[in-house]
């Protein structure tokens, strides 16, 4: 009887383990199925160029199955959505996560190269935009300076001072700022404001110590 009972207990344990394994298998399948549904929904939004909505769905897919058999696809797809939204740092991170999960997934490597190129292009565009902005500032300051010079020729020193003030306010430390300070110093001299004139001469020399006029 004891042996029979032991066999029965062993069989019961095997059955219970099998049932537990089957339940876990079904649960895992359900998780993957749900994650794939989020991914498919995201793909549909991508086709319609609704990238924010696609991103939300891919987020759900990854939250549901961050390291499952298809997770590398979710990360790759989310990287694509991030790229369209010009969030290149996040896109690159997701490509790396995709490759880490499946290092043979070449799509992620190809997309990562494109994202790096995008980043370089954006940096170059930002640099060019800043260069143009700096040129515009200098151009505007020079216009104020030229206007001030015209007033100086007509001995309208108060008006000249006003224009030189604008030039300095626009570009206080630019490549031509030493000229603005020197010219304002001259205006101050004509107005009898010698302390201010001396201060501007010093500022001009500080900006360009080889500027002999100051």
């Amino acid at each position: 009887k004891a042996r029979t009972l032991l066999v029965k207990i062993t069989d019961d344990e095997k059955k219970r383990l099998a049932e537990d394994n089957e339940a876990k298998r079904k649960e895992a399948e359900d998780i993957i199925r749900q994650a794939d549904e989020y991914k498919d929904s995201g793909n549909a939004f991508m086709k319609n160029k609704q990238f924010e909505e696609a991103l939300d769905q891919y987020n759900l897919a990854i939250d549901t199955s961050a390291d499952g058999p298809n997770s590398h696809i979710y990360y790759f797809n989310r990287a694509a959505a991030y790229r369209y939204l010009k969030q290149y740092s996040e896109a690159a991170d997701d490509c790396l996560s995709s490759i880490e999960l499946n290092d043979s997934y070449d799509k992620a490597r190809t997309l990562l190269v494109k994202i790096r190129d995008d980043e370089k292009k954006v940096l170059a565009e930002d640099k060019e935009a800043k260069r143009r902005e700096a040129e515009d500032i200098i151009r505007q300051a020079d216009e104020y300076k030229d206007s001030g010079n015209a007033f100086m020729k007509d001995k309208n020193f108060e008006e000249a001072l006003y224009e030189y003030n604008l030039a300095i306010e626009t570009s206080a430390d630019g490549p031509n700022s030493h000229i603005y300070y020197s010219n304002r110093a001259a205006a101050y001299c004509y107005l009898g404001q010698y302390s201010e004139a001396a201060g501007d001469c010093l500022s001009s020399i500080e900006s360009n110590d080889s500027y002999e006029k100051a």
Side-chain angles (χ1 to χ4, degrees), residues 3-195:
R3 292 180 184 278
T4 301
L5 182 59
L6 180 60
V7 169
K8 184 178 180 181
I9 291 170
T10 302
D11 289 342
D12 288 343
E13 287 179 345
K14 289 179 179 178
K15 183 179 179 181
R16 186 165 55 254
L17 284 172
E19 290 173 348
D20 288 346
N21 288 336
E22 179 63 14
K24 289 177 181 178
R25 186 187 65 79
K26 288 182 178 180
E27 182 182 5
E29 287 181 350
D30 288 341
I31 289 172
I32 294 168
R33 187 179 301 109
Q34 179 64 73
D36 280 346
E37 286 178 4
Y38 289 134
K39 181 261 292 178
D40 293 340
S41 179
N43 292 351
F45 280 123
M46 287 288 282
K47 287 181 180 178
N48 292 327
K49 298 183 178 181
Q50 295 173 270
F51 305 122
E52 289 283 1
E53 292 81 356
L55 188 66
D56 289 339
Q57 295 301 307
Y58 296 141
N59 284 336
L60 290 172
I62 291 169
D63 289 343
T64 302
S65 179
D67 55 0
N70 300 330
S71 300
H72 61 288
I73 300 174
Y74 312 151
Y75 280 105
F76 167 79
N77 288 12
R78 190 171 71 174
Y82 274 132
R83 185 189 178 209
Y84 279 111
L85 293 168
K86 301 186 185 303
Q87 298 181 34
Y88 299 118
S89 178
E90 293 83 351
D93 287 343
D94 272 357
C95 283
L96 293 173
S97 295
S98 178
I99 294 166
E100 185 177 350
L101 288 166
N102 186 338
D103 62 7
S104 65
Y105 194 56
D106 290 334
K107 282 186 176 182
R109 296 182 187 280
T110 300
L111 182 60
L112 182 59
V113 171
K114 291 179 180 179
I115 291 166
R116 295 305 189 200
D117 288 340
D118 290 337
E119 288 178 322
K120 290 177 183 177
K121 184 178 178 181
V122 168
L123 287 173
E125 289 173 349
D126 287 347
K127 186 176 180 180
E128 177 63 15
K130 289 178 181 177
R131 184 188 67 78
R132 289 180 179 177
E133 182 182 4
E135 286 182 349
D136 289 341
I137 289 172
I138 294 168
R139 188 179 300 110
Q140 180 64 72
D142 280 348
E143 287 178 5
Y144 290 133
K145 181 262 293 179
D146 293 340
S147 179
N149 292 351
F151 281 123
M152 288 287 283
K153 287 181 181 179
D154 293 334
K155 298 183 179 180
N156 293 325
F157 305 123
E158 288 285 358
E159 291 82 353
L161 185 66
Y162 178 76
E163 295 297 323
Y164 295 142
N165 284 337
L166 290 175
I168 292 168
E169 288 171 7
T170 303
S171 178
D173 55 1
N176 299 329
S177 301
H178 59 289
I179 300 173
Y180 312 152
Y181 282 109
S182 176
N183 288 14
R184 190 172 70 173
Y188 274 133
C189 281
Y190 280 110
L191 291 168
Q193 300 180 37
Y194 301 114
S195 176

